[in-house]
Amino acid sequence: LAQAPVLRLLVRCVPMAAVQKAKTALALVVSTLLLWKPTIVVMFPGFIYPSDLSTVLLVDSCINCSTQTVFAFCLLEVLVACVLLNEYVIPALFGRERWQHFDGLKKRKLVGFVVKILVRVACSVQILALIAPRFDFEKGLFAGFNVKRESADSHHRHMVQTCEDAGMTLSDAVALRAWTFVRDDMMAVMVWELAFIPELPADAWLHHLFVILGVVIGSDGQLLASRAPVQPLIDGIALFLVLGAALAALVEAAVLMYHLNHASPSAQARWMVGSMMVQAILVVVLFVALPGFVALYHLHELEGLTFGLLALLVFLAVVEVKMMTVKWAIVKSARRKAQQRALQASLIPAGTAPPSDPQPMDASFAHDLGKEGEMAAPPEDEASLALASKAGSTCMAPTEATPP
């Protein structure tokens, strides 16, 4: 009670803006640490998971718990980080006053972009630093430490094998743990996104469901144990797909910048073109060329499974190409908007305030070609039509002012 007046005085002295900034910074740090927790605990063995390999089993991927527990923690971390980002960080990123004018769907999509970017960057670090060096085009991924084979063999010999008994070093165990964490983390994000944004179109739902089922089948040592001999090859193909999904953080970061540059349609067009270019590279290299090469190279070992894998690659590529088609429609709309603004500015006398923009170029990225086409081609208002008509009579034809 004696300190109460002092506290009230401190509240009066500290500006509310500073308090709000402190809350935002703290929420950003906590949410980032939560989403990066799997990477942190993998990079520092002994911090949470043991470094003594005689105490962990190969069948559990050298983690002293099951993959179900790993997935549950990843999902909880995403859920808590989502609450913090949605409440404190992202409204400050876009401006709280502007944020209040967004509809609920757009808010959830922007939150989804930020969450996925943070998780994908963390997964990229694990893959590039720990997992990718273990891949071999001839043998696949972790050929010497096959979890599915160990699970099947343990049933026959009625004995489990520790990671130390399997001849693993600590770096081997860390890489195998990272492979488990990366897949469960990506799966947790996709499960969360489907629940958080159920309005996603059918192709996005199918894409996420395929990935979720693939991760479950690939990470559960007891499922499809008969395929244990070729599991390293399947994991090698999955490595390229997961790496492509992780590096898609660059694609989504460019889309996020598109939304942040709402006042400049020309900047929006540039960011969206950049997103398309990165996405095209990822699709060609990591979603088609490399995994397709591995599947065809090992056609004799994979047999009929090769064609199923190729069909999955084609489906994933089609989904990505459709998304790039959506983005191209947005690019054309942004360029058209930029030309309309430039035309208006050239026809307004100096010192006169420009007319208000009746429909700002800040449409939500709908992930749906039909809906995005409607948003990307808004009807022109009477002022724009009048300006275009005036331009046609004075300097150029109306069709030259606005490209098709």
Side-chain angles (χ1 to χ4, degrees), residues 3 17 68 72 95 101 134 136 143 153-154 178 213 220 272 287 309 332 374 396-397 404:
Q3 294 177 350
Q68 180 184 23
H101 291 87
R134 307 282 168 171
D136 184 273
D153 291 346
S154 64
L213 291 175
D220 192 330
M272 195 59 73
F287 288 173
L309 293 171
K332 291 192 294 184
E374 295 174 2
M396 66 180 69

Side-chain angles (χ1 to χ4, degrees), residues 146-205:
N146 191 332
V147 175
K148 283 190 181 292
R149 173 174 286 172
E150 171 62 21
S151 178
D153 291 346
S154 64
H155 286 287
H156 296 295
R157 63 174 181 258
H158 303 290
M159 182 182 298
V160 293
Q161 190 177 30
T162 66
C163 294
E164 184 179 66
D165 295 335
M168 298 182 72
T169 64
L170 184 58
S171 60
D172 295 329
V174 167
L176 187 58
R177 289 171 182 173
W179 182 229
T180 301
F181 274 108
V182 163
R183 290 180 294 176
D184 283 357
D185 216 6
M186 297 292 285
M187 179 171 64
V189 168
M190 291 189 177
V191 170
W192 163 80
E193 186 177 23
L194 291 178
F196 192 61
I197 315 175
E199 297 90 346
L200 290 175
D203 54 355
W205 268 88

Side-chain angles (χ1 to χ4, degrees), residues 23-99:
K23 287 182 180 180
T24 301
L26 180 60
L28 177 60
V29 170
V30 173
S31 58
T32 303
L33 288 175
L34 283 171
L35 296 177
W36 274 67
K37 193 270 290 180
T39 303
I40 295 172
V41 299
V42 164
M43 290 291 188
F44 299 96
F47 174 56
I48 292 181
Y49 298 99
S51 56
D52 183 2
L53 300 185
S54 65
T55 63
V56 289
L57 305 177
L58 176 58
V59 72
D60 291 330
S61 301
C62 301
I63 306 172
N64 55 349
C65 63
S66 68
T67 55
Q68 180 184 23
T69 303
V70 173
F71 169 74
F73 273 102
C74 290
L75 184 58
L76 289 174
E77 289 151 11
V78 171
L79 290 172
V80 176
C82 168
V83 173
L84 294 175
L85 291 170
N86 183 50
E87 183 68 23
Y88 299 103
V89 179
I90 303 179
L93 181 64
F94 284 89
R96 295 187 180 276
E97 183 177 354
R98 180 174 169 234
W99 179 260

Side-chain angles (χ1 to χ4, degrees), residues 243-386:
L243 177 59
L247 293 178
L250 300 174
V251 177
E252 294 181 331
V255 175
L256 184 64
M257 292 303 298
Y258 161 88
H259 286 286
L260 289 172
N261 285 273
H262 66 100
S264 175
S266 58
Q268 286 187 313
R270 289 193 298 271
W271 280 111
M272 195 59 73
V273 169
S275 175
M276 290 178 61
M277 293 176 62
V278 175
Q279 188 173 7
I281 294 172
L282 294 179
V283 170
V284 172
V285 177
L286 295 176
F287 288 173
V288 176
L290 290 177
F293 172 79
V294 174
L296 293 174
Y297 186 78
H298 294 281
L299 177 62
H300 179 70
E301 296 96 323
L302 295 174
E303 298 177 339
L305 188 59
T306 300
F307 302 102
L309 293 171
L310 292 177
L312 177 60
L313 296 179
V314 170
F315 169 75
L316 295 176
V318 168
V319 172
E320 296 294 331
V321 169
K322 179 184 176 183
M323 186 64 65
M324 286 189 284
T325 306
V326 172
K327 292 179 178 179
W328 181 242
I330 298 174
V331 169
K332 291 192 294 184
S333 177
R335 288 175 174 173
R336 182 168 55 248
K337 188 70 172 181
Q339 289 184 350
Q340 289 176 355
R341 289 189 177 182
L343 180 61
Q344 290 177 355
S346 65
L347 297 175
I348 294 173
T352 304
S356 60
D357 193 348
Q359 191 164 358
M361 186 62 191
D362 197 22
S364 175
F365 192 55
H367 299 270
D368 189 316
L369 184 58
K371 294 180 181 179
E372 199 64 43
E374 295 174 2
M375 292 188 299
E380 293 180 320
D381 57 288
E382 294 181 1
S384 299
L385 291 173

